[in-house]
Amino acid sequence: METSRRKGFVFSTYQAPNLSPFDKLFEIFTELITHTSGDFDEAIDWLRQLDKEYELTTPEYTIDDFIEDLKKKGYIREEIKPDGSGDGVTLSSKMEQNIRQQALKQIFGKLKRSGSGNHRTKHSGQGDEQTGEYREYRFGDGLEKISLTESIRNAQVNNGIDSFQLTEEDLVVEDSRFKAQMSTVLMIDISHSMILYGEDRITPAKKVAMALAELITTRYPKDTLDILVFGNDAWPIAIKDLPYLQVGPYHTNTVAGLQLAMDLLRRKRNTNKQIFMITDGKPSCIRESDGTYYMNSNGLDDYITEKCYTMAAQARKLHIPITTFMIAQDSYLQRFVREFTEANQGKAFYTGLKGLGEMIFEDYETNRKKRVK
């Protein structure tokens, strides 16, 4: 009697990756330095506490040894404080890039990677990426686009071998697609509510921004990404400043953020433009023409929300879609976002912090495949 073969899974004891003492601590330290907004001393204090609880180090390799390796490898540098005292430690540009790379790996690492490094539109023609498909020759096609093998085969089929001749009707070219370019502005809410209610919302938003920045600069170098933050006012920040981003004692001036975003996009030559907005709260502040601020944190103020709807409609006229990632779950805030989105004809995602990065990535990919006319 033949023994039947069984298929299934074989489970074994988990084997942790064989990391060096430095690499094991470095991964934890990178996460801590993000949560402390670049405060080296605070991150090291947290690392020492974790070491006491989980025995991360050994007598042969201590936290002090780790700090020395950080210096030797160029991740940190000593800096004299403005008053001339102390041995302050700051992050190097190498460390700042590493933080962005880790954010990219954490958020986008499990998603399918693009081999070409650019996004494609759905429109074929005289583009710059081959599709593997063929079409008839059209006036204006370059000679280098003609597929000689396919064209000669067509001539043999159409005219026969004995009376071989190659005509324009026999010519075919390998089809191609345009690689669209995208200009994106990412707006990050840094109002005080981003750290209220016992939930750290700014760190996930910051990590998403770092991951998106690293993705665009490395995979889609022809795209542009501007990042701005908005509280009582709005101002742009450099990619290198993202690890140090903190929440301030601000209200939420969404109008100022949208005004700055559209001003930045007006200067871009790319046809495809978009705004991503990460926020957890309602608009509660606008700046009047005389420089004073009108603020109201009690519910939704009609005067403020109408200004937001007007900005959304203006962006629509400029063919700038706005995608809002709403972290808060309050029904009345979601209702405002729906009306705001309708005014812009954009999109809105009502989400918690989990999965925020994946949603932004997928939406970025989808929008990059569209060609705005």
Side-chain angles (χ1 to χ4, degrees):
M1 180 181 294
E2 295 184 2
T3 303
S4 60
R5 296 184 177 182
R6 296 182 179 180
K7 296 181 179 180
F9 297 96
V10 176
F11 295 92
S12 60
T13 304
Y14 171 74
Q15 297 291 332
N18 187 19
L19 299 176
S20 67
F22 173 82
D23 290 334
K24 182 172 66 174
L25 291 175
F26 187 64
E27 186 173 350
I28 301 172
F29 171 75
T30 303
E31 189 71 22
L32 293 175
I33 205 71
T34 302
H35 282 269
T36 62
S37 298
D39 189 321
F40 175 81
D41 292 333
E42 184 180 359
I44 289 297
D45 286 343
W46 283 14
L47 189 61
R48 292 187 189 279
Q49 293 179 31
L50 291 173
D51 182 32
K52 290 180 180 178
E53 185 172 354
Y54 298 103
E55 298 182 351
L56 302 176
T57 63
T58 63
E60 291 76 24
Y61 193 86
T62 64
I63 298 295
D64 292 332
D65 295 327
F66 172 69
I67 295 174
E68 286 302 313
D69 280 347
L70 287 174
K71 295 177 182 178
K72 292 177 183 178
K73 295 176 183 292
Y75 290 112
I76 60 174
R77 61 177 183 271
E78 294 184 2
E79 190 175 81
I80 302 300
K81 295 181 180 179
D83 59 1
S85 63
D87 57 344
V89 176
T90 60
L91 308 183
S92 67
S93 58
K94 181 180 180 180
M95 185 66 205
E96 291 167 354
Q97 183 179 27
N98 181 271
I99 295 173
R100 296 195 300 269
Q101 289 174 343
Q102 178 156 314
L104 177 66
K105 180 180 178 181
Q106 288 178 347
I107 294 175
F108 300 147
K110 295 181 181 180
L111 299 176
K112 183 178 180 181
R113 297 183 178 181
S114 169
S116 63
N118 288 278
H119 294 285
R120 293 180 297 215
T121 69
K122 62 183 179 180
H123 301 276
S124 63
Q126 298 180 49
D128 51 4
E129 181 177 0
Q130 304 302 318
T131 65
E133 300 175 353
Y134 297 95
R135 61 169 174 81
E136 73 281 358
Y137 174 83
R138 299 170 187 165
F139 178 77
D141 287 333
L143 295 178
E144 72 280 0
K145 298 286 187 180
I146 297 175
S147 172
L148 292 179
T149 302
E150 293 296 320
S151 298
I152 291 174
R153 186 179 68 83
N154 286 344
Q156 291 176 340
V157 172
N158 295 333
N159 305 308
I161 297 178
D162 296 333
S163 58
F164 176 80
Q165 57 178 337
L166 184 64
T167 67
E168 183 176 334
E169 287 71 25
D170 301 321
L171 298 179
V172 295
V173 298
E174 188 170 357
D175 207 356
S176 58
R177 293 185 183 273
F178 289 97
K179 292 179 183 176
Q181 295 179 354
M182 176 67 75
S183 290
T184 303
V185 172
L186 177 62
M187 298 173 50
I188 303 176
D189 184 351
I190 58 167
S191 61
H192 188 58
S193 59
M194 290 289 277
I195 55 172
L196 287 180
Y197 316 117
E199 185 174 45
D200 176 14
R201 296 168 173 173
I202 188 62
T203 299
K206 182 168 57 177
K207 290 175 72 172
V208 167
M210 290 190 291
L212 187 62
E214 191 67 12
L215 176 82
I216 291 176
T217 55
T218 56
R219 190 180 302 179
Y220 309 122
K222 292 183 180 180
D223 288 5
T224 66
L225 174 67
D226 291 277
I227 302 172
L228 65 87
V229 295
F230 62 104
N232 291 351
D233 294 290
W235 60 94
I237 62 172
I239 291 176
K240 66 180 181 64
D241 296 329
L242 280 171
Y244 312 103
L245 186 61
Q246 299 183 47
V247 168
Y250 306 122
H251 287 70
T252 307
N253 192 343
T254 307
V255 170
L258 293 171
Q259 288 174 332
L260 178 57
M262 285 191 284
D263 185 53
L264 292 169
L265 290 174
R266 283 191 188 98
R267 306 173 190 175
K268 307 298 182 183
R269 296 182 178 180
N270 292 344
T271 302
N272 296 316
K273 301 175 182 180
Q274 65 180 348
I275 296 173
F276 285 165
M277 179 168 63
I278 303 175
T279 182
D280 75 320
K282 59 184 176 296
S284 59
C285 169
I286 57 172
R287 188 174 185 178
E288 302 286 15
S289 57
D290 61 359
T292 60
Y293 294 91
Y294 174 78
M295 301 178 181
N296 185 359
S297 299
N298 299 318
L300 285 173
D301 187 294
D302 290 339
Y303 180 64
I304 296 176
T305 56
E306 285 300 324
K307 295 283 188 181
C308 292
Y309 299 148
T310 300
M311 293 303 301
Q314 288 181 10
R316 179 185 178 185
K317 291 180 181 179
L318 294 173
H319 304 289
I320 301 175
I322 302 172
T323 303
T324 304
F325 296 89
M326 192 70 176
I327 298 174
Q329 302 294 330
D330 307 69
S331 58
Y332 79 103
L333 293 179
Q334 292 183 357
R335 185 169 59 253
F336 158 73
V337 171
R338 282 196 296 271
E339 295 179 9
F340 175 85
T341 302
E342 183 178 354
N344 176 256
Q345 292 297 296
K347 285 183 288 186
F349 294 90
Y350 308 97
T351 175
L353 299 174
K354 185 177 181 180
L356 177 63
E358 288 85 347
M359 273 192 274
I360 288 183
F361 174 84
E362 294 289 356
D363 199 60
Y364 181 80
E365 291 278 352
T366 301
N367 291 351
R368 284 292 284 103
K369 294 173 184 176
K370 296 178 181 177
R371 190 170 181 82
V372 181
K373 295 184 179 179

